[in-house]
Amino acid sequence: MFQGGAASDDPDPRHVNQTDLSGSADLVQARDVHGGVHFHGGDPAPGPPPRQLPGGVAGFLNRNRELLALDRLLTDAHQTAPAVTLFVVAGTAGVGKTSLAVRWAHRVKTRYPDGQLYVNLRGYDRGLPVDPAEALDRFLRSLGVPPAAIPADLDERAAVYRSRLADRRILVVLDNAASVGQVRPLLPGTDTCSVIVTSRSRLSALVARDGGQRLTLDILPEHDAIELLRTVMDGYRQGDSDEELAELARLCARLPLALRIAGERAASRPFMTLHELIQDLRDESALWDTLTADDGDESDAVRTVFAWSYRALTEEAARLFRLLGLHPGPDFSAAAAVALSGTPARRIRHLLDQLVGAHLLEHVGLDRYQLHDLLRAYAIDQVRQHEPDDERQAARLRVLRWYLHSADAAVTAMLPFNQTVPLDPPGGIEAMAFSASTTAAEWFETERHNLVAATRLASECGAHQVAWHLAAVLRGVYMHQNAFDEWSTTARIGLASARSVGDRRGEAETLESLGKAHFQARQLDEAAECHQAALTVRREIGDEFGTAVSINALGLLGLRHRRLTDSVRFFSEALEIVTRLGNRRWRALVLSNLGETRYEMLQLPEAAVLLREALAELRDLGDRGQEGNALFFLSRAEREMGDVANAEANIETAVAIAEEANNSLWLGHWLVELARVRQAIGDPAAALDILHRAAALQRRIGDRSREATAIDGVGEAYQDLGRSAEAVDFHRQAAGVHRRLGDSWQTAVALHNLATALAATGREAEALPVRQDALTLLSQFEDARAVDLRERIERA
């Protein structure tokens, strides 16, 4: 089955993956078919524990009292278990909440051998904060949950998260939370885990209702503030008196962020007296003479220190700093900074190093930089004051085009047969280039949050074509990754942008993207609405190729609903268009979809002809993924026609393609057909081994529907071995999953198998209602395969 866009074997969606197999059976181990079947409960072997704590602040000192307070809260009198599992560190901006939380987390991390999770919730950033659903998505991926297995609903997502943390010892750091609502879904449901939250708010409800303990972080005592200044300036200045350092600390409101910036400024001017530097700092504000730390006006102090340090920058570095406030996402690379500022690449590292050295920018990883939220707000203020509107818009457009063209290059490297929208020239922007699909995939993972933010910024700043182009380009990657959150968000933003400027082609592209997202999420009514709307637009604007794509999508919906005559009609119409247009690949893809439909209608010779024609074209084009998919369906048709030898050769070739590509989605799906071929040859023991592998892959991917199909196949293999009593549980489990997923056809198939196994064990009384249940489900289908199955059940 092919949706269009990226080469895909149409992996089943997240809603397929929210239901566990009933009972305790997860994976089937059947090396010795004369012994018992062994089940491995729970998830496949987890990867390494998450170790997400950021590095501590260099030269962190003091706060010993607060660290000891957290230690005391952590452990009860007997040193055996956490006395408190939820800590709230509250305090004003710049007081060092994050530094303290990260320092303490590193200090106690050995108590949490199962890992440490960290997220900056950006509750006080001028952009959108991280919502709980997004944070849960990040955490679940880090905990080994396949993207396809992450539910869409917030409550369901939180439930999976709590299940993953149950009986584990994990420390969770929730940094910069704005509200209790942002935090509560991220709390574990077990006292074996601990959570530390930082916030400018007191988050009183977490203390009152959730049993949290609050630690309010105050400004540094004077002697600690002086010590911090001396640490920053160590090796650069000598002879500064404690009195002058105390005065400088007071002017910084004794806030660590301001102290580090001021200390760095003083260190960079070793021959300027501290008295002169203090006077210079005083001059930044006419109100400074009346400011004291006791006034509670720390924000003015911080702003004044920012301005003092900012004015000391070279004009080139100052311009880069203020333009960085326009970056759409939470962090960025040097290449993104080049695009944003228009600065030559050979200069950008030097300027970034200047800003890092001045403590105006954080270097948070290999080629990754970020602004503290206070500094980001200051940078935005400065860019509004010092850059004209047209310069700000030009900077935004440069970085947005950079993300768009870099994403397009990455998609091309990852999915060479993906059909993306034609883009305008990059306009002097040097986008990323990728020599391998692996580096492109790594770039996507690093920039995934920035790409969503860039799509949103493009829409907000009026770059509507960039917005919908980004949504269309990203579609191929999201299809492959089942990245439903990002997919739905970018598609909706792109659709709104296209409609706001009357761009009909963009409207159709983004409607198609939304339709595919709904389709993979089994939201079939919504998918049909989107694809029908896209088809209407494409017919109105005379887009013949787009029309064929939309008609093909409606054909796939017919397949999913098992309205096979509708599918034949849609695929035939799409085939006529792409044939006339001379689009060879799409002709092959539609032929393959039509062949799959004929197979489902039990028109096996016709299906084989269509699939062989598609296969020849795909091989000539070199599209290995879709070649494997065509071989898979051809093997099924040939096996059912009795041509087992050719069926075996074809499915073995398909499996080899999947293994060469290291594509678990294809492999897990196609292995089930290889097992059926082994059964047809008369080797059910080999089939069991293959089905074990298929089930394990599907569980790892998170595809419960296809995992259930593999489990049902295990039951059939056991029946072939004359061990029907053991087959019963497998068929019962498979039927339960398919029923909960709303898949009437697959439920009926599994129920038929269950009834057959029950009857073979002499349990005819139990088999009868199972058959009746299957017949009721089959009554909604009228195709030949459904009629054949119904007749077999009735005869039984």
Side-chain angles (χ1 to χ4, degrees):
M1 186 182 295
F2 180 80
Q3 280 206 61
S8 169
D9 75 332
D10 184 34
D12 281 344
R14 77 169 65 192
H15 289 262
V16 173
N17 307 319
Q18 294 175 8
T19 308
D20 289 327
L21 289 171
S22 59
S24 61
D26 289 329
L27 305 181
V28 185
Q29 178 70 27
R31 291 284 177 187
D32 180 3
V33 297
H34 302 292
V37 179
H38 308 286
F39 297 106
H40 306 278
D43 302 298
R51 307 292 187 197
Q52 296 184 345
L53 295 180
V57 174
F60 180 92
L61 45 80
N62 309 312
R63 299 298 190 190
N64 292 324
R65 179 176 61 84
E66 290 84 356
L67 289 169
L68 288 172
L70 289 170
D71 288 343
R72 284 194 296 270
L73 291 172
L74 179 65
T75 309
D76 67 11
H78 302 288
Q79 302 282 316
T80 57
V84 175
T85 59
L86 174 59
F87 310 87
V88 177
V89 178
T92 191
V95 78
K97 300 182 294 295
T98 298
S99 298
L100 175 70
V102 170
R103 176 59 171 248
W104 182 75
H106 279 288
R107 175 167 160 154
V108 301
K109 65 184 179 183
T110 56
R111 295 175 61 102
Y112 301 93
D114 297 317
Q116 303 88 43
L117 296 169
Y118 172 89
V119 63
N120 184 349
L121 294 172
R122 303 192 175 278
Y124 300 94
D125 195 283
R126 289 204 178 182
L128 290 176
V130 176
D131 63 56
E134 180 183 346
L136 285 169
D137 179 77
R138 298 185 196 181
F139 282 171
L140 289 172
R141 289 169 185 254
S142 300
L143 292 167
V145 179
I150 298 174
D153 179 76
L154 173 62
D155 290 339
E156 292 181 22
R157 197 171 282 191
V160 175
Y161 169 69
R162 290 191 297 270
S163 297
R164 281 279 168 157
L165 295 188
D167 301 321
R168 298 189 188 185
R169 299 189 64 82
I170 288 179
L171 178 62
V172 183
V173 181
L174 306 177
D175 200 11
N176 289 315
S179 67
V180 172
Q182 204 180 10
V183 170
R184 191 163 277 142
L186 308 179
L187 299 180
T190 173
D191 62 3
T192 61
C193 297
S194 295
V195 180
I196 183 166
V197 185
T198 73
S199 179
R200 296 181 200 174
S201 167
R202 292 171 58 81
L203 301 181
S204 298
L206 288 183
V207 177
R209 291 180 50 192
D210 298 283
Q213 287 285 329
R214 184 191 302 114
L215 175 67
T216 300
L217 201 59
D218 203 353
I219 61 175
L220 287 172
E222 183 176 284
H223 67 277
D224 286 346
I226 292 172
E227 185 180 354
L228 178 54
L229 285 171
R230 287 197 183 280
T231 299
V232 175
M233 296 186 294
D234 186 43
Y236 296 94
R237 296 182 62 87
Q238 294 179 348
D240 296 324
S241 69
D242 282 351
E243 292 77 12
E244 288 178 318
L245 289 170
E247 177 68 3
L248 180 57
R250 190 184 68 81
L251 295 173
C252 294
R254 301 206 301 270
L255 292 169
L257 176 63
L259 288 165
R260 290 182 184 280
I261 293 173
E264 181 60 39
R265 173 83 190 277
S268 67
R269 286 155 176 76
F271 301 110
M272 190 175 183
T273 68
L274 200 55
H275 174 76
E276 292 176 280
L277 289 166
I278 290 171
Q279 187 58 47
D280 194 18
L281 178 54
R282 284 185 181 279
D283 291 341
E284 286 296 335
S285 174
L287 300 175
W288 196 252
D289 288 336
T290 63
L291 178 64
T292 68
D294 294 332
D295 291 334
D297 210 354
E298 292 93 349
S299 61
D300 284 348
V302 171
R303 181 180 175 83
T304 301
V305 173
F306 289 173
W308 184 53
S309 185
Y310 168 74
R311 293 180 195 278
L313 296 171
T314 64
E315 173 50 34
E316 197 176 13
R319 177 177 176 273
L320 174 60
F321 171 78
R322 58 182 179 260
L323 288 176
L324 289 175
L326 300 175
H327 185 270
D331 59 7
F332 55 89
S333 65
V338 168
L340 181 65
S341 63
T343 303
R346 64 181 181 277
R347 287 283 300 153
I348 203 70
R349 295 282 184 188
H350 175 68
L351 296 176
L352 291 170
D353 287 345
Q354 281 189 47
L355 296 178
V356 170
H359 288 279
L360 295 175
L361 183 66
E362 297 175 78
H363 195 179
V364 293
L366 183 63
D367 192 33
R368 304 306 296 178
Y369 301 86
Q370 71 179 16
L371 289 165
H372 187 284
D373 54 0
L374 290 177
L375 285 162
R376 181 179 175 88
Y378 182 75
I380 291 171
D381 286 343
Q382 295 306 303
V383 80
R384 287 173 177 167
Q385 290 180 36
H386 299 290
E387 299 289 337
D389 289 348
D390 58 340
E391 289 295 327
R392 296 201 302 271
Q393 183 69 351
R396 292 190 193 97
L397 289 175
R398 284 194 300 269
V399 74
L400 291 173
R401 288 200 305 270
W402 180 83
Y403 275 113
L404 172 60
H405 285 272
S406 296
D408 187 59
V411 170
T412 300
M414 293 171 64
L415 308 167
F417 288 97
N418 186 72
Q419 178 127 11
T420 59
V421 296
L423 304 179
D424 293 335
I429 300 301
E430 187 174 348
M432 297 292 292
F434 303 95
S435 58
S437 62
T438 53
T439 55
E442 289 167 0
W443 182 85
F444 262 116
E445 183 59 30
T446 301
E447 300 288 355
R448 55 191 297 242
H449 304 298
N450 286 336
L451 289 164
V452 176
T455 309
R456 183 176 287 110
L457 176 62
S459 182
E460 291 172 349
C461 75
H464 295 297
Q465 186 182 66
V466 174
W468 79 255
H469 275 172
L470 263 169
V473 167
L474 293 170
R475 177 180 64 211
V477 175
Y478 294 154
M479 283 179 64
H480 252 52
Q481 298 176 346
N482 277 358
F484 290 98
D485 287 352
E486 293 97 331
W487 191 355
S488 177
T489 298
T490 54
R492 292 183 189 281
I493 292 171
L495 178 59
S497 270
R499 283 176 169 169
S500 71
V501 292
D503 190 325
R504 300 284 276 164
R505 183 163 180 271
E507 181 181 2
E509 287 286 344
T510 49
L511 280 167
E512 179 192 333
S513 185
L514 267 180
K516 288 174 176 174
H518 286 307
F519 182 85
Q520 286 192 200
R522 282 189 179 263
Q523 299 161 349
L524 301 186
D525 290 342
E526 294 89 340
E529 184 179 333
C530 289
H531 284 308
Q532 191 61 60
L535 177 60
T536 299
V537 172
R538 283 166 163 165
R539 280 176 167 161
E540 288 176 358
I541 64 176
D543 179 2
E544 284 196 283
F545 174 71
T547 296
V549 171
S550 292
I551 293 171
N552 178 74
L554 294 175
L556 294 176
L557 278 163
L559 260 178
R560 182 61 62 83
H561 285 296
R562 205 167 182 83
R563 298 169 185 158
L564 302 181
T565 54
D566 289 346
S567 291
V568 169
R569 175 168 54 85
F570 285 127
F571 290 141
S572 298
E573 186 178 354
L575 181 63
E576 188 277 327
I577 296 173
V578 294
T579 301
R580 177 160 38 81
L581 293 176
N583 191 316
R584 294 174 60 202
R585 181 170 184 265
W586 263 88
R587 183 174 186 278
L589 299 175
V590 179
L591 280 169
S592 184
N593 286 341
L594 189 56
E596 177 187 356
T597 310
R598 295 294 185 188
Y599 163 80
E600 292 294 344
M601 298 174 78
L602 269 183
Q603 298 172 1
L604 301 180
E606 295 92 333
V609 169
L610 290 165
L611 289 163
R612 289 184 185 118
E613 186 178 355
L615 185 60
E617 195 79 270
L618 290 165
R619 281 175 168 164
D620 191 49
L621 292 168
D623 188 339
R624 295 282 280 167
Q626 289 305 316
E627 176 188 346
N629 211 37
L631 286 166
F632 164 71
F633 285 111
L634 181 58
S635 174
R636 296 175 79 181
E638 290 172 334
R639 172 175 53 80
E640 292 191 23
M641 288 191 294
D643 188 358
V644 180
N646 273 329
E648 181 179 31
N650 285 329
I651 194 60
E652 285 180 345
T653 302
V655 167
I657 288 172
E659 290 176 332
E660 289 166 10
N662 195 28
N663 190 310
S664 297
L665 292 174
W666 300 341
L667 185 60
H669 190 36
W670 299 343
L671 280 173
V672 174
E673 171 57 20
L674 180 60
R676 294 192 183 282
V677 168
R678 293 285 185 264
Q679 285 175 259
I681 291 171
D683 192 355
L688 280 173
D689 274 342
I690 295 166
L691 288 163
H692 165 243
R693 186 182 179 196
L697 283 168
Q698 297 298 358
R699 167 51 64 95
R700 192 172 302 120
I701 293 166
D703 193 326
R704 290 293 183 262
S705 177
R706 286 180 176 168
E707 184 184 3
T709 299
I711 293 294
D712 198 40
V714 170
E716 292 183 85
Y718 266 86
Q719 289 196 60
D720 286 351
L721 286 165
R723 299 172 63 176
S724 297
E726 290 161 275
V728 166
D729 286 339
F730 293 103
H731 295 312
R732 197 187 305 278
Q733 292 159 15
V737 173
H738 288 309
R739 190 190 300 276
R740 288 192 291 273
L741 297 175
D743 192 330
S744 296
W745 170 254
Q746 291 294 346
T747 303
V749 170
L751 288 173
H752 165 61
N753 291 332
L754 173 58
T756 302
L758 287 168
T761 60
R763 298 154 68 181
E764 184 61 43
E766 292 180 57
L768 181 59
V770 174
R771 292 194 187 101
Q772 292 171 336
D773 192 2
L775 288 171
T776 299
L777 291 170
L778 288 169
S779 64
Q780 61 190 288
F781 306 115
E782 299 177 354
D783 60 272
R785 188 177 291 275
V787 170
D788 177 72
L789 180 57
R790 191 159 57 239
E791 290 175 350
R792 281 187 282 142
I793 294 174
E794 288 170 345
R795 286 196 299 272

